[in-house]
Amino acid sequence: MGFPVANLAVVPLDTERAKDPAVTGAKAANLARSAVAALPVLPGFVLVPADRAPGAPVGEEAVRTAWQALDGAGQALVVRSSSAHEDTEDSSMAGRFDSVLDVRGWEGFTTAVQTVLDSARRVQPLRPPADAPPDDGMAVLVQPMMRAAVGGVMFTADPVAGRTDRLLVSVVGGGPDQLVDGSTQGVRYQLTRFARLVRTEPAEPPGQRLLTHRRITRLVALAKKTERVFGGPQDMEFGFDAAGKLWLFQARPITAMAARPAPGARLLGPGPVAETLPGVLQPLEEDLWVTPMSHGLTLALDIAGAAPRRTLRKRPLVTTVDGRVAADLRLLGAVPSAHPVLDFINPAPSARRAGAAWRVGRLRSALPLLAADLMADVDRALADIPEPGQLLGGQLLDAVSWGREVLSSLHAQESLAGALLGPGSGATGAGEALAALAEGRSRGMSEEALLARHPVLMALLPPTLGDLAPLPGHTGWTALPRGVGALPVREGLRLRIRWVHEMQARMVRELAGRLGAGECAPGLTRLALLRWEELVTASEDGGLPADLAEREPRSLDVGPLPAAFRLADGLPVAELPPGARHSGDGQGAGGGFGTGTAWDGRGERPEHAVLVVRSLDPALAPVLPGLAGLVAETGSALSHLAVLAREFRVPTAVGVPGAVDRFPDGTLLTVDGGSGAVTVQDADETITHAEEPAA
């Protein structure tokens, strides 16, 4: 017979026992619950290990009898897996185990059953418990093979956008197996819960829709009934037969819903603030540099009357996400206002408007002198601070504290200078630094000598409490340096901000060696994990936090933030800035936003790999963990591999024409799983923002 029939019991699908996933596996149990609830489920039975179903018919005769009841007059069957590891709330294992379609005859049936059982031993869960054994207890679901005229996959919530008020449906002519195996993209319908069609992708010719209004109405009704049975959003496979009857082939929980920003969530982005703080910041670096920046920019907006004080008091203007700095793009004026008509009317009190206009008018003429005085004060203070080794521990902390205060003033004036004074001569701190670097290297100066002789070179290095990055290599710069005094006001202020950063970093590095002794010394890596208040407490002999040894540094390999995004459960959800457009040549399949190197799945895998393939082959599932992105030329956002990719938070774009040819191995890509946009990154964009003069 080809398989151990003596150890298999037959459990009819329409019985109470079949509803238990511990007996029949989750897939069969879900269909059994659907059948008992009078949902349109095809008849069938489940083969399970005999010890799972005491009292059920066991052995070859029982199996043959159940087979004959379905096989009838030569009707084809479908033989499917029903594992304890698949179709659960935590893991779908979509497409990982074998299913066999169009099974005919007793020999074909026994061979198909053996194929499904063998797949349980061959395929292991992608996220198994540490001591999980092979799935030797696989159940086998057997049903008639229904020839669908139109088939598809329906999610009763939109897993890509995170919307529970939308249904997402992908359909093809024929059975849904073409969709779930990733070989066909199909037509994607977005529906409301009242059966209204929102849009289709791609557009269908009038009168030739695969889903008529009548079919849509029946699908939405089935979706609502299925949700009531299972108590939550479902991932369903369905088919309409030649007579137009709707059948449910599978139902399982949606395992990976994209986070959705709350109504009114701020539009954030790196914007201009990333020019000053381009890297991943540790907690102490945030408190030393991000907090003063936020305070300074808030002061500037308040002075200029650019935003209501109530709005400015609500939340910090600048924040961090996984250590990457981001700001409120609307308040900074980096994107158009959401209420241009209200802005034109300007509902602010007339006295406040007049006061802001008066201040701005006065500042336009006074700011250059005020900035010159501030820069002179900062230069004197920095020159008067002795080397860190010559200071007492308390004096080191005082210098860091002074830096936090003066950074707020520098950021406020730098922001006002950019808004009121324009670009000036066009010279930049980065340009002056590159000119000084080229000239110094032509004279054979070492890197240490260059930094000591030309502090303007700090404009080329991102701030950090750790070791400074090396200066850029050959720059090809041909301009002659003119000195810091030749810089316009805004660039001079930016340069002082960077000098204060470096002074603070030197003091903290010295403090790291002063705090504690022996095994109690935290070291610089641990010290950077403190908040500012904790550092002050430790310096005043209040001791280090008890959990400091358990804190983990933020990974420096975190990819860049989207240009514009909103936060949902602390995660950035990419969004196109107002007025922006992307190529629109792909469909978003979820997973977030990622950046990495294109990889075709062969040869050595890059550290941050974006897998670029022709189709969403479920056999690619083992390489999903750790991918920075997934791009496919064909396939549906509701296919098995796309479902698994969302579970692993892999940004995924499907239906991207010519992706394999357009994005060869080694191409630096960003993948937006929300919009489906795939963008080629210029290699130069990986250089610190400070190396590229701002416009």
Side-chain angles (χ1 to χ4, degrees):
M1 181 173 176
F3 65 96
V5 66
N7 297 322
L8 291 179
V10 177
V11 179
L13 197 59
D14 57 356
T15 61
E16 284 294 323
R17 174 178 280 174
K19 294 166 57 179
D20 185 355
V23 176
T24 60
K27 182 183 296 181
N30 290 347
L31 281 179
R33 289 179 63 183
S34 301
V36 172
L39 296 180
V41 175
L42 292 164
F45 61 89
V46 189
L47 300 178
V48 303
D51 57 358
R52 284 197 202 168
V58 179
E60 180 176 355
E61 182 177 350
V63 174
R64 187 181 287 271
T65 300
W67 167 77
Q68 287 176 334
L70 286 185
D71 185 74
Q75 182 177 10
L77 304 179
V78 57
V79 179
R80 308 167 69 190
S81 65
S82 186
S83 165
H85 295 301
E86 63 181 335
D87 291 3
T88 67
E89 293 184 359
D90 299 320
S91 175
S92 65
M93 288 292 286
R96 298 285 285 140
F97 301 108
D98 289 342
S99 292
V100 186
L101 308 179
D102 203 17
V103 176
R104 297 178 182 275
W106 176 249
E107 289 188 8
F109 170 69
T110 58
T111 301
V113 171
Q114 188 64 56
T115 298
V116 173
L117 292 175
D118 288 344
S119 72
R121 301 179 180 91
R122 185 183 70 252
V123 176
Q124 293 302 306
L126 297 179
R127 289 178 289 196
D131 56 350
D135 192 1
D136 293 327
M138 169 76 80
V140 180
L141 172 64
V142 184
Q143 292 177 288
M145 177 78 179
M146 198 273 284
R147 304 290 180 185
V150 174
V153 178
M154 174 168 58
F155 279 50
T156 64
D158 187 336
V160 178
R163 300 187 61 164
T164 56
D165 61 337
R166 292 285 189 267
L167 282 74
L168 205 59
V169 185
S170 284
V171 293
V172 292
D177 53 291
Q178 307 166 72
L179 282 171
V180 298
D181 67 9
S183 62
T184 303
Q185 184 172 342
V187 180
R188 182 159 74 169
Y189 289 70
Q190 189 179 72
L191 311 172
T192 69
R193 297 187 70 82
F194 299 99
R196 182 175 67 83
L197 176 62
V198 178
R199 66 172 181 268
T200 62
E201 297 178 73
E204 294 178 291
Q208 298 183 28
R209 284 182 177 166
L210 290 172
L211 291 184
T212 61
H213 179 69
R214 177 177 174 80
R215 285 175 173 171
I216 288 175
T217 302
R218 294 168 64 188
L219 273 175
V220 172
L222 177 61
K224 292 178 179 179
K225 291 178 183 177
T226 307
E227 282 186 332
R228 286 195 293 269
V229 170
F230 293 100
Q234 295 292 298
D235 166 4
M236 305 160 61
E237 293 180 23
F238 65 89
F240 289 93
D241 63 20
K245 185 173 182 179
L246 174 61
W247 294 95
L248 176 63
F249 297 150
Q250 183 170 309
R252 61 184 172 208
I254 296 177
T255 54
M257 281 283 290
R260 189 181 182 196
R266 294 188 296 170
L267 185 66
L268 301 172
V273 297
E275 297 176 10
T276 302
L277 300 171
V280 176
L281 302 177
Q282 302 301 333
L284 183 56
E285 293 173 328
E286 281 185 20
D287 288 354
L288 295 184
W289 303 329
V290 177
T291 302
M293 173 189 279
S294 182
H295 183 246
L297 295 180
T298 301
L299 284 176
L301 291 177
D302 184 45
I303 290 171
R309 287 179 178 171
R310 181 184 301 176
T311 301
L312 295 174
R313 290 192 189 109
K314 280 183 181 179
R315 294 172 281 197
L317 182 61
V318 183
T319 186
T320 58
V321 180
D322 290 331
R324 291 282 192 187
V325 67
D328 189 311
L329 295 179
R330 295 199 187 280
L331 289 179
L332 285 185
V335 298
S337 171
H339 306 288
V341 175
L342 289 180
D343 289 347
F344 177 76
I345 298 173
N346 195 351
S350 57
R352 184 167 178 267
R353 281 185 286 158
W358 179 81
R359 288 193 300 270
V360 169
R362 293 283 300 255
L363 273 174
R364 201 180 299 276
S365 58
L367 188 57
L369 296 177
L370 293 173
D373 287 344
L374 177 59
M375 288 188 288
D377 290 343
V378 170
D379 291 348
R380 281 193 298 270
L382 290 175
D384 290 342
I385 296 176
E387 288 296 313
Q390 300 176 19
L391 295 175
L392 298 173
Q395 293 173 318
L396 293 171
L397 195 67
D398 289 342
V400 177
S401 181
W402 170 82
R404 295 183 82 224
E405 295 174 4
V406 78
L407 279 174
S408 179
S409 299
L410 287 167
H411 280 295
Q413 291 203 16
E414 186 266 336
S415 177
L416 289 169
L420 303 180
L421 303 182
S425 65
T428 65
E432 176 66 20
L434 289 170
L437 178 61
E439 184 175 273
R441 282 189 171 149
S442 70
R443 296 164 57 189
M445 297 177 66
S446 66
E447 187 162 311
E448 293 76 11
L450 282 167
L451 286 170
R453 179 74 177 272
H454 301 291
V456 70
L457 294 177
M458 296 306 302
L460 300 177
L461 302 176
T464 176
L465 293 180
D467 296 332
L468 285 174
L471 289 168
H474 177 67
T475 63
W477 202 264
T478 57
L480 294 176
R482 298 182 178 276
V484 173
L487 294 176
V489 170
R490 187 183 187 191
E491 290 298 314
L493 291 165
R494 282 184 172 183
L495 188 57
R496 269 67 181 189
I497 289 171
R498 182 65 191 89
W499 288 349
V500 173
H501 288 164
E502 184 56 25
M503 179 277 295
Q504 291 176 304
R506 294 174 64 201
M507 300 301 159
V508 171
R509 292 173 196 139
E510 180 68 22
L511 269 174
R514 304 274 188 98
L515 286 174
E519 295 181 358
C520 297
L524 183 59
T525 301
R526 290 272 149 218
L527 200 70
L529 305 183
L530 296 175
R531 309 305 313 201
W532 169 246
E533 295 78 9
E534 293 173 332
L535 178 60
V536 172
T537 299
S539 301
E540 295 174 350
D541 202 24
L544 295 167
D547 66 341
L548 181 58
E550 301 170 4
R551 299 183 189 180
E552 293 292 333
R554 289 171 178 156
S555 171
L556 301 181
D557 293 332
V558 176
L561 293 172
F565 63 91
R566 302 181 195 274
L567 287 177
D569 298 333
L571 300 174
V573 178
E575 180 173 314
L576 284 177
R581 296 287 184 270
H582 63 73
S583 60
D585 58 359
Q587 291 182 355
F593 180 93
T595 297
T597 304
W599 176 54
D600 64 3
R602 296 172 293 184
E604 185 176 356
R605 174 172 173 161
E607 184 177 1
H608 302 288
V610 175
L611 183 63
V612 182
V613 294
R614 301 281 184 195
S615 62
L616 295 177
D617 184 350
L620 295 170
V623 306
L624 286 176
L627 283 180
L630 173 61
V631 178
E633 293 185 358
T634 64
S636 164
L638 308 186
S639 67
H640 283 156
L641 197 69
V643 171
L644 292 173
R646 285 194 292 275
E647 291 182 17
F648 283 92
R649 296 189 180 278
V650 176
T652 303
V654 301
V656 182
V660 172
D661 297 324
R662 289 164 55 195
F663 311 130
D665 277 15
T667 306
L668 187 63
L669 301 176
T670 61
V671 182
D672 185 345
S675 68
V678 181
T679 307
V680 177
Q681 294 284 98
D682 190 331
D684 291 339
E685 293 180 24
T686 60
I687 299 175
T688 301
H689 286 275
E691 297 179 18
E692 185 176 343

